[in-house]
């Protein structure tokens, strides 16, 4: 089976969030179980020739865009693990400082940029002579591809039996654009209906994936059910409910080479479930990295995009209470200015207890996972979440809200003492979060109990192999849908 993973960001080339981690790790994991997987993404400015030697002169392509044609190219790079990465080049669209927009907002031509990307993938497959059994598309930036497969390219070789899997990594970002952009996609107005791409007068690119892909998935079982409800469906719950028979949830694996306390190159000392002694050095190193005084009080860590999704308004609401507890807190994140300011204000008020770094800093993220004792993830919604999984691996006990992937990966240690790996709360309320943090602090004071919780989490297996096998099952389902009937 040959699979092409299509994504707008892929580690190690370009990353803003978990999507890149997943679409970077999955093709390698597929190769390890014998599936020929490649990946393709736009060639942004950050994918420069010095860091990523590109092979070959690149293949030039012509891409229809509305009434005109846009030129471009596809270059190739080694993604590691035997995976070929293809990079769609068009400097006008992708040679920019950021992937999707600046702090002031999204790039205004995002519809055009990602329409170009999707159509370029189709045209490149046609003209390069490459054959894939499965196109695995991810999030709205790639969602036009399943629609193209069933419309403009339905009768074109080599797509007649190609299956599509569309994976939703975050339904909060849907690719909503004004309907004047529809002709540019090449799709006809007959698709501008509520059953098609229309969404209250606009076009919704995510819907193209949800309506036209052979099989749908999202990144945890719980999230796959939540998104069929108005609370989590962001207006797409109806479409998702309609397609519930084809909708699956597969929890992300984690990249064991990058996130492994026994081999992590970013942390002060390595450690493992058999010998946890290195964690003490990691704690000291973390406090010093954040300029906090040394001490034995438990350290709470928090990393993430500073957005409402990640629960920063709840953290803000309990900030004063947190500062009064026997703990230290370190926060790493960048995002919405109002949350940055709120967190910075807390740090200024309690400089001995709370510290924040407004940045995107991978090395510091590793130091937090290793050096903290408790990891806080009170997300409003969380399709899968990676940081709570890293925390489990690093013996840093997660306190999470029971939603999406958080509910599927963390077991409450009070409700289930034999299997507990963290502390969970249900309702999105400040009191509930305070309750869960209090329970974690009480457990921390009981060293034997805490040690058991830490070790249970560290022993769990979140390697990619199981997830990759689950994806292969879905690829099989997609292919069966495309097999000629009769
Ligand atoms: P999301 O994809 O919604 O942002 P995930 O938990 O799935 O959330 O993945 C986030 C990824 O991005 C993790 O690998 C996390 O370590 C990383 N990350 C997020 N914010 C930062 C930051 N400020 N500095 C370093 N890494 C970050």
């Amino acid at each position: 089976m040959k699979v092409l993973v299509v994504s707008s960001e892929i580690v190690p080339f370009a990353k803003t969030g978990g999507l890149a981690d997943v679409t970077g790790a999955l093709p390698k994991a597929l190769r390890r179980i014998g599936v020929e997987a490649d990946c393709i993404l736009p060639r942004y400015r950050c994918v420069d020739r010095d860091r990523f030697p590109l092979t070959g002169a690149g293949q030039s392509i012509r891409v229809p865009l509305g009434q005109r044609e846009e030129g471009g190219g596809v270059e190739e790079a080694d993604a590691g693990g035997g995976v070929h990465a293809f990079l769609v080049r068009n400097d006008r669209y992708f040679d920019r400082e950021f992937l999707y927009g600046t702090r002031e907002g999204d790039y205004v031509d995002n519809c055009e940029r990602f329409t170009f990307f999707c159509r370029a993938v189709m045209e490149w497959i046609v003209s390069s002579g490459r054959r894939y059994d499965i196109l695995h598309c991810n999030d709205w930036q790639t969602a036009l591809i399943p629609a193209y497969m069933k419309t403009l390219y339905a009768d074109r070789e080599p797509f007649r039996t190609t299956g599509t899997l569309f994976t939703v990594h975050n339904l909060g970002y849907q690719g909503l654009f004004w309907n004047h952009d529809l002709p540019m996609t090449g799709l006809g107005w007959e698709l501008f209906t509520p059953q098609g791409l229309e969404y209250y007068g606009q076009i919704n690119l995510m819907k193209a994936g949800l309506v036209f892909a052979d099989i749908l998935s999202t990144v945890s079982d719980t999230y796959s059910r939540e998104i069929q409800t108005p609370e989590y469906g962001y207006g797409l719950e109806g479409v998702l409910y309609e397609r519930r028979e084809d909708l699956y949830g597969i929890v992300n694996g984690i990249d064991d080479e990058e996130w492994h306390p026994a081999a992590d190159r970013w942390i002060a000392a390595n450690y493992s479930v058999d010998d946890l002694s290195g964690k003490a050095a990691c704690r000291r190193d973390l406090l010093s990295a954040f300029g906090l005084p040394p001490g034995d009080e438990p350290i709470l860590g928090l990393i993430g995009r500073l957005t409402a999704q990640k629960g920063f308004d709840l953290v803000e609401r309990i900030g004063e209470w947190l500062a009064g507890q026997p703990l230290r807190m370190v926060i790493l994140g960048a995002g919405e200015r109002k949350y940055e300011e709120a967190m910075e204000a807390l740090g200024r008020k309690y400089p001995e207890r709370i510290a924040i770094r407004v940045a995107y800093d991978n090395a510091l993220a590793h130091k937090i996972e290793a050096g903290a004792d408790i990891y806080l993830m009170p997300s409003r919604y969380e399709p899968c979440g990676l940081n709570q999984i890293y925390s489990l691996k690093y013996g840093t006990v997660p306190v999470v809200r029971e939603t999406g992937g958080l509910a599927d990966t963390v077991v409450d240690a009070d409700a289930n003492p034999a299997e507990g790996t963290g502390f969970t709360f249900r309702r999105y309320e400040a009191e509930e979060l305070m309750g869960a943090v209090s329970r974690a602090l009480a457990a921390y004071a009981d060293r034997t109990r805490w040690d058991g919780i830490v070790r249970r989490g560290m022993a769990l297996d979140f390697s990619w192999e199981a997830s990759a096998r689950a994806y292969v099952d879905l690829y099989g389902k997609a292919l069966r849908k495309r097999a000629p009937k009769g």
Side-chain angles (χ1 to χ4, degrees), residues 135-148:
L135 300 186
H136 181 172
C137 302
N138 297 275
D139 276 353
W140 72 262
Q141 296 90 341
T142 63
L144 282 171
I145 290 175
Y148 288 147

Side-chain angles (χ1 to χ4, degrees), residues 15 17-18 21 303-305 310 332-333 359-361 365 385-387 390:
K15 166 172 168 173
D21 290 321
I303 307 162
R305 293 180 292 113
K310 299 290 173 185
L332 168 65
Y360 190 94
D361 185 335
L386 292 171
N387 281 305
Y390 301 152

Side-chain angles (χ1 to χ4, degrees), residues 61-82:
I61 44 171
R62 307 286 312 163
V63 180
L65 217 52
Q67 296 298 317
R68 62 192 175 86
E69 266 193 352
E70 184 73 37
V74 177
E75 295 170 349
E76 191 176 337
D78 180 4

